[in-house]
Amino acid sequence: KRFREPKHERRPWKIWFLDTSKQAIGMLFIHFANVYLSDLTEEDPCSLYLINFLLDATLGMLLIYVGIRAVSSIVEWQQWDTLRFGEYG
């Protein structure tokens, strides 16, 4: 994906790595949560993974959206320039 961005808009390697590592850590967390939950129940691990994925993709995204909006409002209100989302300096 990084190489499909226009050259003048590409993120530096460090920022790209930090952005993609957040996604990898989230996927690992969901995977290990699924393994842990499948050991606790007699359910099929694939169905539990689907339930985890759907909850993460719906409720998780909603919670993240609300959290980012709340933090962004506080940052704007307090005028903390260094904590703005998407501003890497």
Side-chain angles (χ1 to χ4, degrees):
K1 180 182 173 188
R2 183 179 191 280
F3 294 110
R4 302 187 123 234
E5 297 172 345
K7 284 192 177 211
H8 64 280
E9 293 181 13
R10 277 189 196 156
R11 297 167 287 176
W13 280 104
K14 180 181 177 183
I15 293 172
W16 176 84
F17 175 76
L18 292 173
D19 286 345
T20 55
S21 64
K22 288 187 294 188
Q23 295 171 4
I25 290 169
M27 288 186 293
L28 280 172
F29 178 77
I30 290 296
H31 173 72
F32 287 116
N34 184 55
V35 170
Y36 176 74
L37 289 175
S38 67
D39 282 344
L40 294 179
T41 64
E42 298 297 321
E43 297 293 324
D44 177 30
C46 292
S47 63
L48 287 175
Y49 180 79
L50 178 64
I51 291 169
N52 282 341
F53 176 76
L54 291 174
L55 285 173
D56 183 46
T58 54
L59 293 177
M61 290 302 291
L62 178 64
L63 287 173
I64 289 170
Y65 176 77
V66 169
I68 287 176
R69 296 291 296 206
V71 170
S72 292
S73 296
I74 293 170
V75 166
E76 289 294 324
W77 176 59
Q78 293 291 328
Q79 298 178 353
W80 293 329
D81 292 332
T82 56
L83 295 178
R84 293 182 200 277
F85 286 103
E87 298 287 331
Y88 298 112

